[in-house]
Structure formats: structure tokens, C-alpha cells
Amino acid sequence: KAGVTQTPRYLIKTRGQQVTLSCSPISGHRSVSWYQQTPGQGLQFLFEYFSETQRNKGNFPGRFSGRQFSNSRSEMNVSTLELGDSALYLCASSRAPGMGETQYFGPGTRLLVL
Amino acid sequence: GEDVEQSLFLSVREGDSSVINCTYTDSSSTYLYWYKQEPGAGLQLLTYIFSNMDMKQDQRLTVLLNKKDKHLSLRIADTQTGDSAIYFCAESGSGNTPLVFGKGTRLSVIA
């Protein structure tokens, strides 16, 4: 079974631009979560989607948004990029939300904002 | 809010055992996880333990949970150079999916 795939793997943008990242979950998984990883803050939860609905949202500004499609694929968008948005963005999928549903992570998209 | 603490670095000799420790604050944590991250890669799930268990063994990996002290450890037996990576402890509880991660422990294995 194929794992979680994320595209693109690397991205360079400039301040003020916007970016869209994509995540395809493991086949049969309907829940997708996004995390941001930076050297200073570590791994922080961004948001979680299930059945095309956002279930949870982390403490990030409104510039960060996401959505999920009917095939469970998810995208996240960051508008008006800032230097501090440079990070590894990780997507994780699970069969469903809730306790005990193990999350499997993709390889991440490394975003550099200049 | 919830917090997960780990020591940042651990260095061991090849063939020795490694023990990575983690403490957490959320008493309602139900599942506790260990993930491994190699350079330039995402997170690989190593193992997890349910809060009603004290120990779980999976080949070279042993997880010990002391729920009273909110302390979790990961023991890697016969550590190999391929085990060099960052190891993250994470907890999930209170009925919510979002994982709360520690800052990660960088394990260096010396040949």
C-alpha cells in the first residue's frame, strides 16, 4: 500500500507570495492532519480534516488555511508569506479521527521563504 | 496546556542500549507514541503504547510507561549506526486527534 505523498517536496517563495501544498493520504484513510516543523518551535499542529470538514485547528493565524476534497486529498494554503513561515510542512493521515487512530506521516514539503 | 519534554541529545556506542526519556503533563493522555525522523525525511512511526499498559516490546524496541510519574521511555537494544536519527515522543488524549510532540532527542551512534 502506498504511503502518504506530499507535493511538491521543495519550494522557494518570496515574502508576500502565497503557496499551496498538497497531500494524498494512504488509500482508505479519510482523516488528514497538517503539522509545521521548525527548529525553534518543533512540531506544531496546524489543522485536521475529516470528510471534507475541518475538525480541529491549531494556534496559527488566518493566513494558514486548508481544505479536503471528496477523495480525502487535502491542500493547505499560506497567503502573504513571511520569513518565519519557512519550515517543513508535514501531512499525516489516519483511517478516522479520534483516539487510537495512528497517524502516518508523509515526507513533508520543505518551504523556504526569501 | 499539554506539554511533552525530552532531553535534546543522546550519544551511545554501537552495540550498546539506548534509552530515550520523555515526560508529559496531560494526565488524560491515552496513547503515547514514538516517531523517528531521519535527515530530510518525514516521521516514521516506531511504536505506541496505550495508557493502560506498563510495557510494550517490539523486536529491539521496548517502551516503558510510568503513568503515575507521567514518564515514558524508549529502549533500543543493540543500537546500530542506522539508528542515528531524531526521536520524537508524542501524546494524544482527551478524545482529540492532534498529537502533541516533544522537541525530539537527537541520537548519535558512535561506531
Side-chain angles (χ1 to χ4, degrees):
Chain A
K1 192 187 271 192
V4 178
T5 57
Q6 292 188 245
T7 56
R9 292 292 312 278
Y10 304 93
L11 209 46
I12 300 176
K13 292 284 187 180
T14 55
R15 276 182 299 174
Q17 287 187 308
Q18 72 149 15
V19 67
T20 299
L21 312 181
S22 180
C23 171
S24 292
I26 291 170
S27 178
H29 285 196
R30 296 168 59 202
S31 180
V32 173
S33 297
W34 289 89
Y35 295 82
Q36 181 196 63
Q37 185 179 25
T38 59
Q41 299 299 315
L43 281 150
Q44 293 185 288
F45 170 73
L46 279 158
F47 22 65
E48 176 201 7
Y49 288 89
F50 175 70
S51 293
E52 301 176 66
T53 301
Q54 187 179 89
R55 286 190 75 244
N56 276 302
K57 190 176 191 307
N59 190 23
F60 279 82
R63 299 184 297 108
F64 291 81
S65 63
R67 59 178 174 168
Q68 186 180 34
F69 301 95
S70 58
N71 62 357
S72 297
R73 191 177 69 85
S74 176
E75 288 181 347
M76 67 163 280
N77 185 77
V78 188
S79 62
T80 320
L81 283 165
E82 300 178 0
L83 296 179
D85 297 333
S86 294
L88 180 66
Y89 290 88
L90 292 163
C91 165
S93 78
S94 59
R95 290 178 303 178
M99 289 189 294
E101 290 295 337
T102 302
Q103 295 186 35
Y104 296 89
F105 283 79
T109 294
R110 190 167 294 280
L111 171 66
L112 177 62
V113 182
L114 302 175
Chain B
E2 304 102 339
D3 195 21
V4 177
E5 298 280 341
Q6 298 178 243
S7 52
L8 294 181
F9 301 99
L10 177 65
S11 181
V12 299
R13 292 200 177 276
E14 191 175 21
D16 287 351
S17 291
S18 308
V19 179
I20 303 171
N21 295 300
C22 167
T23 57
Y24 58 97
T25 58
D26 187 358
S27 57
S28 65
S29 291
T30 308
Y31 284 87
L32 295 132
Y33 300 85
W34 285 103
Y35 284 89
K36 175 184 179 183
Q37 186 176 39
E38 297 182 75
L43 299 179
Q44 174 195 350
L45 175 67
L46 287 177
T47 187
Y48 65 91
I49 189 168
F50 186 53
S51 59
N52 68 352
M53 298 167 67
D54 297 325
M55 185 183 89
K56 182 178 180 182
Q57 189 153 0
D58 184 1
Q59 300 182 337
R60 291 191 298 124
L61 305 179
T62 302
V63 178
L64 294 177
L65 175 61
N66 181 327
K67 198 173 176 184
K68 175 176 167 288
D69 294 338
K70 299 192 187 72
H71 182 267
L72 182 74
S73 67
L74 173 70
R75 179 177 178 269
I76 306 172
D78 186 26
T79 312
Q80 302 298 307
T81 54
D83 295 324
S84 293
I86 301 176
Y87 291 80
F88 290 92
C89 170
E91 63 92 14
S92 174
S94 305
N96 294 320
T97 306
L99 294 169
V100 177
F101 287 88
K103 288 281 200 297
T105 299
R106 184 179 295 274
L107 174 65
S108 296
V109 182
I110 306 163

